[in-house]
Amino acid sequence: MRVLVTGSTGQLGSALLNQLKGSDYKVKITSRRKPERIGHFEWVYSDLLSGEGLEEAVKDVDVIIHAATSPIKNSKDIEVTGFENLLSKLKYIKHFIYPSIVGIEEIPLKYYKLKYKAEELLKNSSIPYTIVRATQFHDFVENLFLSKPLFKRYVIPGSIKCQSVSVDEFAKHLIDLINKGPQGRIDDFGGPVIMTLREMAELKIKINNETNKIFSISLPGKLYKSFCDGKNTNSFQKAGGITFEEHLGNNRV
Ligand SMILES: NC(=O)c1ccc[n+]([C@@H]2O[C@H](COP(=O)([O-])OP(=O)(O)OC[C@H]3O[C@@H](n4cnc5c(N)ncnc54)[C@H](OP(=O)(O)O)[C@@H]3O)[C@@H](O)[C@H]2O)c1
């Protein structure tokens, strides 16, 4: 089985690469930058924005795990137009695995709307697919909100809810899907615990013995409310086993 991983330099792409190293799959990887330590994988340059290298990237592959994304820069051109262009090149693909995000149709964020549109494009194509939505990765939440205290304070929207999940566990789940074949949209892959961002910050401070304090802010608008209401979580799908607390313990500073 020949597998292509797009977005091979990203958070999810890197986790996929680490785990595919020991597998029997023939693996091709693609991104614009070349990842360090690619081992025996074949790396191909490709750009979803310009379309350059896409033909070469998808040539002779059976399965694609599409981990390339661009949430902020040129997001529409990459998540939708570039994605559609990629799909148009897949004549003989056996299985296209699309990682998506829990709650995208209920949260008024431009990037999420684009992800939803991409899901629809895939569903309406003739390509055999699996779509699996995950909650936010532990590292993503930590890097976004809990990495840069301001004057010894984490200034955060403390009431928003998170069900963060290990990117390694999600990567393993995606790799397990290769053998299962196309299944359409499947159950969400959520982390084991739903917490507020304030609770996550408290854990970080405790585990790292930090002297930082928490300054929790409220924000106006539907976007903030949707995260406070936990639209980005799924309490029925706690598939991941590694908690945010364990994640912090493993990466202790
Ligand atoms: N982060 C989360 O918490 C989370 C949660 C649930 C689901 N997901 C989903 O998981 C997937 C991967 O997310 P991630 O957090 O791993 O993303 P990421 O760390 O931002 O990585 C994005 C990847 O896309 C590549 N890329 C960016 N622009 C590109 C372009 N124009 N052409 C080709 N490749 C391009 C980047 O490589 P180069 O810059 O080298 O090209 C990089 O390898 C996404 O579908 C995301 O929606 C993420």
Side-chain angles (χ1 to χ4, degrees):
M1 188 88 81
R2 292 155 300 178
V3 178
L4 172 72
V5 176
T6 72
S8 54
T9 50
Q11 273 189 78
L12 179 59
S14 306
L16 287 163
L17 260 52
N18 276 339
Q19 294 183 41
L20 283 165
K21 271 182 188 145
S23 79
D24 292 334
Y25 298 121
K26 194 169 172 202
V27 180
K28 200 193 254 196
I29 61 178
T30 184
S31 43
R32 292 167 306 170
R33 291 164 294 142
K34 189 174 184 176
E36 290 168 19
R37 290 189 290 277
I38 61 168
H40 60 284
F41 297 153
E42 178 192 356
W43 173 77
V44 176
Y45 172 93
S46 74
D47 185 349
L48 282 159
L49 189 59
S50 65
E52 194 185 341
L54 290 181
E55 298 268 5
E56 184 56 30
V58 302
K59 196 171 156 201
D60 298 329
V61 298
D62 301 302
V63 178
I64 297 178
I65 304 181
H66 184 56
T69 193
S70 183
I72 297 169
K73 204 171 165 204
N74 300 313
S75 55
K76 185 166 181 230
D77 294 332
I78 290 169
E79 302 305 322
V80 179
T81 317
F83 182 69
E84 203 168 9
N85 187 24
L86 173 69
L87 296 187
S88 73
K89 303 197 181 311
L90 308 179
K91 301 280 179 276
Y92 308 105
I93 200 81
K94 292 184 182 142
H95 190 184
F96 190 96
I97 300 174
Y98 183 72
S100 191
I101 304 178
V102 169
I104 49 174
E105 70 273 68
E106 294 190 85
I107 299 172
L109 197 61
K110 181 185 165 200
Y111 174 59
Y112 286 7
K113 286 196 167 69
L114 299 172
K115 294 276 309 176
Y116 186 70
K117 175 90 179 134
E119 282 189 2
E120 292 297 302
L121 284 171
L122 187 56
K123 281 182 189 167
N124 294 327
S125 74
S126 56
I127 294 164
Y129 68 89
T130 303
I131 293 171
V132 54
R133 295 179 176 181
T135 50
Q136 283 68 41
F137 305 149
H138 294 315
D139 276 323
F140 174 80
V141 180
E142 195 182 354
N143 293 340
L144 188 62
F145 295 112
L146 306 174
S147 62
K148 290 194 185 96
L150 197 68
F151 303 112
K152 306 284 285 170
R153 275 181 171 69
Y154 289 115
V155 181
I156 51 167
S159 298
I160 72 171
K161 292 202 180 88
C162 294
Q163 186 183 355
S164 62
V165 72
S166 153
V167 69
D168 292 323
E169 288 183 306
F170 186 49
K172 180 176 182 312
H173 184 57
L174 297 178
I175 292 169
D176 289 345
L177 290 172
I178 296 173
N179 266 336
K180 291 186 178 155
Q183 295 171 72
R185 163 103 189 267
I186 60 169
D187 283 347
D188 294 345
F189 195 90
V193 182
I194 299 177
M195 281 190 286
T196 63
L197 193 54
R198 171 182 271 280
E199 288 167 334
M200 294 172 91
E202 284 166 355
L203 271 179
K204 182 164 189 201
I205 289 168
K206 188 179 96 188
I207 286 174
N208 292 335
N209 285 320
E210 295 176 20
T211 53
N212 294 314
K213 305 274 182 244
I214 299 167
F215 183 73
S216 185
I217 52 167
S218 291
L219 299 167
K222 287 182 187 161
L223 179 61
Y224 175 69
K225 185 175 181 313
S226 62
F227 278 103
C228 290
D229 291 345
K231 299 291 188 199
N232 56 322
T233 65
N234 184 340
S235 58
F236 300 105
Q237 302 296 340
K238 294 182 173 174
I242 299 172
T243 62
F244 185 64
E245 185 169 9
E246 286 162 343
H247 162 83
L248 290 173
N250 291 338
N251 298 328
R252 215 170 154 162
V253 287

